[in-house]
Amino acid sequence: MARPRSEDPTGSAGAGASGGGSADGAAAGGSGTGTAGAGGSIPAPRAGGRAEARRAAQGKGGRGAPGGDGGSNGSGHRKAGGRGKKPERKIKKIVGWTAVGALVLIAGTGGAIYLKLSGNIKTIDSDGLSKDRPPESAADANGNKPVNILLIGSDSRGAGNSDLGGGNAEGARSDTTILLHVYADHKNAIGVSIPRNTLVTIPPCKLPNGKWTKEQKGKDVLFNAAFSQGDSTEGNAACTQNTVEKLTGIRVDHTLVVDFSGFAAMTKAVGGVEVCLPKVIYEGDINPNLNKRGAQVLPAGRQKVEGQQALDYVRLRHGIGDGSDIGRMKRQQAFMSSMISTVKKKGLEPTTLLPLADAATKSLRVDEGLNSVDKLMSFALSLKNIDLHDLKFVTPPWRYSDANLDLVKPDVDRLWEAIKADRTLDGKDATGEQPAAPEAPAAPAATPEAPPTTTAPPARAAAAPVRVAVYNGTTVNGLGAKAGEALKAAQFTVTGVNQAKSTNKLTTTIEYGAGQKANAEKVAALFPGATLTSTTAAGISVVLGKDYADANGGTGTAAPGTPAAPAPLPSSVTEEARSADDDICANTSYGSGG
């Protein structure tokens, strides 16, 4: 079965996030004859740049010749020492994040725009999904659920993408895939980039002709081959989703496939995106096939880019650091962060909203759960409360296996388990707000007292009982009952003792609604070290953590059906993570050389 070409093994010290197989010299702006979205015309290619290199490659067609196919044997694995391989693309993951940010703005569109945007949206069929899938994420007691979104960057040759740098070969490939986990509190999110040349097992996948493939595994089966199953111009999104679910054990709730035909228009629609480079970039850095330095393309330092320059920045691999794709991934994550920050700052300005929403929806294919403006609006608005600092980007722990990558076990399994347990990189339990106790009934009538004397103050009504709900956020059985007894002994009314949906709570939390802070402080006095958190729910809840378990013996049998708390994440994940509010000039290179 045909598989996509893999990345260039020569001189790539970090091929963990390579692009497609077409030349880095392909023009970002295309022929200049079309438009992308409503954001303006796609810029014309620069003379002597990537477009001419791509056209020259098409004319020669030679395998291994300069500008030819030299890095691939066409079957999903590398050719040793391939020469003339065209540098890869990594644009699509930027487009994915840009599209998610842009969707938030769709909420401001009116009825006249509704049908236009709906007409842009294309749907991914779900009949190719595996029947053997991970279980759905459980909701907490308030109904809050985490959401897992698969963002796939399509290197499709159709719909004019070849002119924009989609390459020469038929079919479609996935350059980079991001698994975006939105935590149940909908205030935190993490995007995990899965390198395209990761060695994986591809489960059975449905082809366009209706037949199913056999499971594929071995030293020549790369992750990006999943999207190419069937060699269709649209790609096989269901096969990629099946592969991600098998790799991670995490169920994907929604899938979005993005091409980059609208990328230049989106960057122009927001007025450009601020980026930072440690040194000047020349045409020869973007297109090594020129065999000369060429003209300056991007200056050093902070700058705002859009259109062609934005494409140059996100494609750049040579001329900085060791020339690896790991460094390019870091710059692309910085670009995503800056783009999302720009969209947030723009808000719902009509002059920004309409072209950006149009370009974003034109570049998307989505699953059946997101295939309308209403569904996209609902999804996008669910992300609007995620602060930039709480949006993280990571790459799973990896190591080389010849020219390809293996994911490092058990480190990578700890990452998947932490995500499934809704634990953030810093160990925070983000399962969402636990439910508070029902509203207290009306206070009982005051007990009559003796008539006051002329100097005595008027009598006060007796205070209503303080009602508290208890939730055991650990795997220690019977801990909630013990806390409930302590509360009753202190004259609090316990409305119920239940197991929390999350069992990896580290610190006991006292959650309280409006007007309950004083009572919550009294409750907290029974739980030394507990933190107080205000919520929008009424009443008071105690969510027990490991600290309370340790103070009360720390042992016991796990409550039936509760999973063990995941192990702490390895430093290879936490120390390399990028927050969306990090300095755009920081962590934009990898290795030595610039």
Side-chain angles (χ1 to χ4, degrees):
M1 181 171 295
R3 298 211 184 129
R5 295 177 299 197
S6 54
E7 61 214 326
D8 182 9
T10 61
S12 179
S18 73
S22 50
D24 247 353
S31 63
T33 60
T35 59
S41 299
I42 297 170
R46 188 171 41 248
R50 290 180 284 183
E52 293 185 11
R54 177 178 58 78
R55 287 192 286 271
Q58 287 176 323
K60 295 177 182 179
R63 184 178 295 274
D69 195 20
S72 168
N73 64 3
S75 61
H77 62 278
R78 302 167 181 269
K79 288 170 55 179
R83 299 184 57 193
K85 173 73 168 71
K86 293 169 284 186
E88 304 80 10
R89 283 173 177 70
K90 296 296 294 173
I91 301 169
K92 293 70 174 186
K93 76 177 179 181
I94 284 79
V95 180
W97 279 96
T98 301
V100 170
L103 288 176
V104 176
L105 301 182
I106 296 175
T109 60
I113 306 299
Y114 183 96
L115 292 178
K116 175 178 175 60
L117 297 181
S118 292
N120 291 344
I121 301 169
K122 302 175 182 65
T123 303
I124 302 168
D125 292 332
S126 61
D127 59 356
L129 295 181
S130 173
K131 302 300 186 289
D132 181 20
R133 303 181 62 191
E136 293 186 18
S137 301
D140 66 15
N142 244 10
N144 298 320
K145 291 182 63 175
V147 182
N148 299 305
I149 305 105
L150 190 63
L151 304 175
I152 304 173
S154 171
D155 195 12
S156 172
R157 275 57 179 164
N161 282 305
S162 180
D163 290 336
L164 294 173
N168 310 323
E170 297 299 323
R173 297 190 297 265
S174 61
D175 278 354
T176 295
T177 301
I178 296 176
L179 178 61
L180 173 64
H181 177 79
V182 180
Y183 293 85
D185 64 3
H186 283 225
K187 296 178 181 178
N188 293 268
I190 181 173
V192 183
S193 300
I194 304 176
R196 69 185 294 274
N197 63 327
T198 302
L199 294 167
V200 298
T201 296
I202 298 179
C205 292
K206 186 176 181 179
L207 302 178
N209 62 10
K211 297 181 179 180
W212 286 75
T213 65
K214 295 181 179 180
E215 181 178 273
Q216 304 171 55
K217 58 184 177 181
K219 287 297 183 181
D220 64 342
V221 179
L222 305 182
F223 174 70
N224 70 326
F227 195 70
S228 297
Q229 299 299 299
D231 294 325
S232 71
T233 56
E234 291 186 339
N236 198 327
C239 187
T240 299
Q241 180 173 331
N242 293 343
T243 304
V244 169
E245 291 186 339
K246 184 174 184 64
L247 176 68
T248 65
I250 297 170
R251 187 182 182 99
V252 174
D253 300 298
H254 297 297
T255 296
L256 294 85
V257 179
V258 187
D259 62 35
F260 56 91
S261 62
F263 177 75
M266 284 189 282
T267 60
K268 295 183 70 173
V270 298
V273 178
E274 189 177 19
V275 298
C276 187
L277 286 167
K279 60 184 297 187
V280 175
I281 299 303
Y282 299 93
E283 283 187 314
D285 298 321
I286 295 174
N287 177 18
N289 291 331
L290 288 178
N291 294 317
K292 62 180 180 178
R293 189 174 77 169
Q296 177 179 307
V297 176
L298 295 166
R302 292 177 179 267
Q303 58 200 280
K304 187 171 285 189
V305 296
E306 63 179 49
Q308 174 76 61
Q309 287 189 320
L311 291 167
D312 288 339
Y313 178 88
V314 298
R315 285 176 172 164
L316 178 65
R317 180 159 68 91
H318 300 284
I320 300 180
D322 62 4
S324 73
D325 285 301
I326 298 298
R328 180 161 61 176
M329 287 178 67
K330 292 178 179 293
R331 290 186 291 278
Q332 290 169 346
Q333 290 178 349
F335 186 94
M336 292 181 235
S337 301
S338 185
M339 181 71 175
I340 294 169
S341 175
T342 300
V343 171
K344 277 181 170 283
K345 290 176 183 177
K346 290 286 183 179
L348 295 178
E349 295 178 7
T351 55
T352 300
L353 169 65
L354 298 183
L356 183 55
D358 190 34
T361 53
K362 278 183 176 179
S363 68
L364 290 176
R365 284 195 298 125
V366 298
D367 67 278
E368 294 167 357
L370 294 177
N371 64 351
S372 72
V373 173
D374 286 339
K375 293 174 182 178
L376 282 169
M377 284 172 57
S378 177
F379 165 64
L381 290 174
S382 72
L383 309 179
K384 67 184 177 65
N385 291 325
I386 300 175
D387 186 80
L388 290 175
H389 183 70
D390 297 320
L391 171 58
K392 311 289 186 183
F393 300 96
V394 301
T395 300
W398 59 272
R399 64 178 168 226
Y400 286 111
S401 176
D402 294 327
N404 297 316
L405 300 182
D406 265 330
L407 299 186
V408 179
K409 292 179 176 288
D411 289 1
V412 70
D413 292 329
R414 288 157 64 183
L415 174 61
W416 307 141
E417 291 303 319
I419 291 174
K420 285 188 282 188
D422 228 29
R423 176 174 287 182
T424 61
L425 294 182
D426 58 2
K428 176 183 175 183
D429 179 3
T431 52
E433 295 177 354
Q434 298 293 340
E439 292 281 359
T447 303
E449 297 185 6
T453 64
T454 55
T455 58
R460 295 180 179 177
V466 177
R467 299 164 63 86
V468 183
V470 178
Y471 295 90
N472 184 1
T474 77
T475 58
V476 179
N477 203 24
L479 200 65
K482 188 166 189 174
E485 291 302 320
L487 286 162
K488 291 176 183 178
Q491 305 302 309
F492 293 102
T493 298
V494 177
T495 59
V497 176
N498 296 286
Q499 186 71 36
K501 292 294 183 182
S502 171
T503 58
N504 55 17
K505 190 80 172 175
L506 297 178
T507 304
T508 298
T509 302
I510 314 299
E511 299 178 349
Y512 62 90
Q516 292 289 333
K517 183 176 181 180
N519 287 331
E521 290 173 344
K522 295 176 183 177
V523 172
L526 298 178
F527 303 91
T531 60
L532 277 79
T533 302
S534 62
T535 72
T536 56
I540 299 175
S541 297
V542 175
V543 186
L544 302 172
K546 184 177 181 296
D547 57 343
Y548 186 76
D550 291 343
N552 288 271
T555 59
T557 58
T562 58
L569 288 171
S571 59
S572 59
V573 173
T574 58
E575 293 178 4
E576 295 298 319
R578 182 184 189 94
S579 297
D581 63 346
D582 284 354
D583 185 348
I584 60 170
C585 292
N587 202 22
T588 59
S589 185
Y590 181 82
S592 61

XYZ file of all heavy atoms in Angstrom, residues 99-100 103-104 106-107 117-118 121 256 360-361 364 366-367 369-383:
215
model
N -7.151 28.475 13.252
C -8.566 28.237 12.988
C -9.365 28.146 14.279
O -10.452 28.698 14.389
C -8.734 26.952 12.173
N -8.818 27.456 15.277
C -9.523 27.358 16.559
C -9.721 28.741 17.152
O -10.786 29.080 17.652
C -8.756 26.448 17.534
C -9.356 26.535 18.929
C -8.813 25.006 17.052
N -12.399 30.641 15.245
C -13.768 30.184 15.443
C -14.452 30.908 16.588
O -15.668 31.082 16.588
C -13.777 28.675 15.712
C -13.462 27.801 14.503
C -13.409 26.338 14.920
C -14.477 28.004 13.404
N -13.676 31.339 17.572
C -14.266 32.085 18.670
C -14.962 33.338 18.145
O -15.990 33.761 18.640
C -13.191 32.461 19.703
C -13.772 33.331 20.807
C -12.578 31.212 20.302
N -16.501 33.680 15.337
C -17.707 33.411 14.553
C -18.957 33.753 15.359
O -20.006 34.072 14.816
C -17.747 31.938 14.106
C -16.568 31.658 13.165
C -19.054 31.603 13.398
C -16.466 30.207 12.763
N -18.838 33.704 16.682
C -19.990 33.960 17.546
C -20.596 35.330 17.298
O -21.766 35.560 17.605
C -19.583 33.829 19.013
N -20.988 31.196 5.904
C -20.024 30.420 6.670
C -20.394 28.944 6.678
O -19.525 28.079 6.604
C -19.924 30.957 8.098
C -19.401 32.390 8.241
C -19.330 32.778 9.710
C -18.044 32.556 7.581
N -21.680 28.639 6.788
C -22.114 27.242 6.768
C -21.732 26.582 5.454
O -21.354 25.408 5.420
C -23.631 27.148 6.979
O -23.978 27.540 8.292
N -18.181 25.023 5.296
C -17.790 23.897 6.148
C -17.981 22.574 5.421
O -19.040 22.310 4.855
C -18.603 23.915 7.460
C -18.354 25.232 8.202
C -18.229 22.734 8.342
C -19.300 25.454 9.362
N -10.621 17.950 13.334
C -10.602 19.043 12.364
C -9.409 18.848 11.433
O -8.286 18.668 11.900
C -10.476 20.407 13.045
C -11.621 20.897 13.930
C -11.479 20.338 15.341
C -11.629 22.426 13.993
N -11.126 31.014 8.021
C -10.992 29.861 8.914
C -11.915 28.730 8.497
O -11.512 27.570 8.413
C -11.277 30.274 10.356
N -13.178 29.042 8.238
C -14.116 27.986 7.879
C -13.808 27.407 6.500
O -14.040 26.219 6.264
C -15.573 28.501 7.923
O -15.681 29.692 7.131
C -16.001 28.799 9.349
N -11.332 24.436 6.720
C -11.630 23.331 7.633
C -12.451 22.210 6.999
O -13.328 22.458 6.175
C -12.429 23.845 8.842
C -11.724 24.730 9.863
C -12.730 25.192 10.910
C -10.592 23.982 10.525
N -14.467 19.111 9.148
C -14.723 18.785 10.547
C -15.582 17.533 10.663
O -16.231 17.115 9.700
C -15.442 19.957 11.266
C -14.570 21.200 11.253
C -16.795 20.253 10.614
N -15.589 16.937 11.855
C -16.418 15.761 12.078
C -17.887 16.164 12.171
O -18.223 17.353 12.221
C -15.982 15.044 13.358
C -16.263 15.860 14.596
O -15.450 16.748 14.932
O -17.304 15.636 15.239
N -19.890 16.134 14.492
C -20.286 16.861 15.704
C -20.002 18.341 15.645
O -20.407 19.085 16.533
N -19.302 18.801 14.588
C -18.956 20.227 14.471
C -19.338 20.797 13.109
O -18.861 21.869 12.737
C -17.445 20.419 14.679
C -16.875 20.121 16.057
C -15.356 20.309 16.041
C -17.486 21.020 17.122
N -20.223 20.114 12.367
C -20.429 20.473 10.968
C -21.507 21.516 10.728
O -22.240 21.465 9.737
C -20.717 19.221 10.136
C -22.010 18.538 10.552
O -22.613 18.897 11.557
N -22.427 17.544 9.780
N -21.633 22.471 11.612
C -22.526 23.610 11.387
C -21.966 24.805 12.138
O -21.140 24.663 13.045
C -23.948 23.309 11.882
O -23.993 23.286 13.310
N -22.402 25.982 11.751
C -21.949 27.185 12.440
C -22.364 27.152 13.905
O -21.595 27.531 14.790
C -22.490 28.442 11.738
C -22.173 29.694 12.548
C -21.886 28.572 10.343
N -23.574 26.667 14.183
C -24.042 26.583 15.569
C -23.107 25.713 16.404
O -22.722 26.078 17.519
C -25.460 26.005 15.623
C -26.507 27.004 15.170
O -26.219 28.210 15.197
O -27.601 26.567 14.788
N -22.764 24.542 15.874
C -21.900 23.621 16.619
C -20.507 24.204 16.799
O -19.908 24.088 17.872
C -21.832 22.275 15.889
C -23.148 21.515 15.872
C -23.051 20.261 14.996
C -24.380 19.525 14.928
N -24.291 18.337 14.032
N -19.985 24.826 15.753
C -18.665 25.444 15.853
C -18.678 26.603 16.841
O -17.730 26.800 17.606
C -18.208 25.925 14.479
C -17.678 24.856 13.531
C -17.506 25.426 12.127
C -16.361 24.292 14.033
N -19.765 27.383 16.832
C -19.877 28.483 17.778
C -19.871 27.971 19.206
O -19.173 28.494 20.077
C -21.164 29.276 17.508
C -21.103 30.198 16.310
S -22.723 30.912 15.913
C -23.119 31.709 17.470
N -20.663 26.940 19.459
C -20.751 26.389 20.806
C -19.395 25.868 21.261
O -18.956 26.110 22.396
C -21.790 25.266 20.845
O -21.843 24.672 22.128
N -18.712 25.160 20.360
C -17.392 24.627 20.685
C -16.390 25.756 20.928
O -15.640 25.760 21.905
C -16.922 23.721 19.554
C -15.459 23.406 19.588
C -14.912 22.682 20.642
C -14.620 23.826 18.572
C -13.557 22.389 20.672
C -13.275 23.538 18.593
C -12.740 22.818 19.653
N -16.381 26.735 20.021
C -15.419 27.825 20.133
C -15.629 28.620 21.415
O -14.669 28.977 22.104
C -15.522 28.739 18.911
N -16.879 28.902 21.751
C -17.158 29.678 22.958
C -16.782 28.920 24.221
O -16.519 29.524 25.260
C -18.630 30.080 22.994
C -19.040 31.129 21.949
C -20.545 31.359 21.978
C -18.304 32.449 22.190
N -16.739 27.586 24.141
C -16.337 26.811 25.313
C -14.846 26.970 25.598
O -14.378 26.600 26.680
C -16.668 25.329 25.113
O -15.795 24.730 24.171
N -14.094 27.537 24.649
C -12.659 27.716 24.826
C -12.283 29.140 25.231
O -11.115 29.399 25.530
C -11.923 27.380 23.520
C -12.239 26.047 22.856
C -11.425 25.902 21.575
C -11.962 24.890 23.789
